[in-house]
Amino acid sequence: CLFPFPIAESTAQDHFFTHKSYSSQMIQRIQTLHLLVATILLVAVNFFPLATFDVEGGIYRMSSFGIDAFGTEAYTGTQWLCYLLPLLSGVAALVSFLNIFGYKNRIAQMRKCIYAILLVIVYYMVYGAQTWLVFTVTQTMPLPSLSAQMPLIAVVFLFLAGRAIKRDEDLVRSTERLR
């Protein structure tokens, strides 16, 4: 026999392709990809410079781990806000990564997407505050790098994941109404 179970005696509940099996295993495809891309972006932002300040005789480069001086004296202003950036992006990345495995509770998944988006908003507030503090010391406008846009792109992916999770929740509720 080709099948490990008798075909004539199998019921719809035992069959692999029933609606219940399909909804719990296959619904998560696209939001998993969205959440994974958001996680990768939120982790990767910590390894690239966020902004550059051109000062006389050199540059200051702001990253998630502080402000480095190249060709000029060391930066003496406040930089403790830079140390909050990897913490915020790391927590947002952790929330979005762990959200991948919470597929059985879609309502909680949507909430966690919103929490991760709020953490990224706080990340940008801290980034703006630190950029402003460096601007007041150096009196030069910052040149933001492309990596400073990574959390914004992650917000778009978190939003898309939340929409896909909501669509799946609506689909499951509509099928439950039909029963």
Side-chain angles (χ1 to χ4, degrees):
C1 183
L2 296 174
F3 300 104
F5 53 89
I7 295 176
E9 296 176 19
S10 68
T11 63
Q13 293 175 346
D14 295 334
H15 197 270
F16 180 74
F17 291 107
T18 61
H19 174 72
K20 185 174 184 179
S21 173
Y22 178 79
S23 67
S24 66
Q25 292 178 359
M26 298 297 286
I27 273 182
Q28 283 297 309
R29 293 283 172 120
I30 193 70
Q31 50 267 46
T32 300
L33 293 175
H34 291 315
L35 291 169
L36 193 61
V37 169
T39 301
I40 290 168
L41 288 170
L42 289 169
V43 169
V45 73
N46 293 320
F47 299 104
F48 297 103
L50 298 173
T52 303
F53 296 86
D54 287 324
V55 295
E56 295 177 20
I59 61 170
Y60 290 122
R61 186 172 297 149
M62 187 173 88
S63 69
S64 294
F65 300 106
I67 300 168
D68 300 319
F70 295 99
T72 186
E73 61 203 39
Y75 178 75
T76 58
T78 306
Q79 60 178 336
W80 65 271
L81 286 174
C82 281
Y83 303 121
L84 290 177
L85 295 175
L87 177 71
L88 289 168
S89 66
V91 171
L94 185 66
V95 167
S96 63
F97 182 72
L98 293 178
N99 204 7
I100 293 171
F101 303 107
Y103 59 88
K104 292 188 181 197
N105 190 351
R106 284 177 289 279
I107 302 297
Q109 250 188 330
M110 285 187 285
R111 284 189 188 129
K112 289 176 188 172
C113 283
I114 293 170
Y115 296 151
I117 290 171
L118 290 174
L119 283 169
V120 173
I121 290 170
V122 172
Y123 173 90
Y124 272 115
M125 291 169 63
V126 171
Y127 171 74
Q130 181 62 51
T131 304
W132 179 257
L133 289 173
V134 176
F135 169 72
T136 57
V137 171
T138 62
Q139 295 298 314
T140 59
M141 291 300 294
L143 300 168
S145 65
L146 290 176
S147 61
Q149 313 323 315
M150 284 182 184
L152 185 63
I153 298 168
V155 165
V156 171
F157 279 104
L158 288 168
F159 177 76
L160 291 173
R163 267 187 34 188
I165 294 165
K166 171 107 172 76
R167 196 172 340 143
D168 287 344
E169 179 64 22
D170 292 343
L171 176 69
V172 170
R173 286 183 189 229
S174 71
T175 57
E176 286 175 359
R177 263 184 273 145
L178 294 175
R179 288 184 190 187

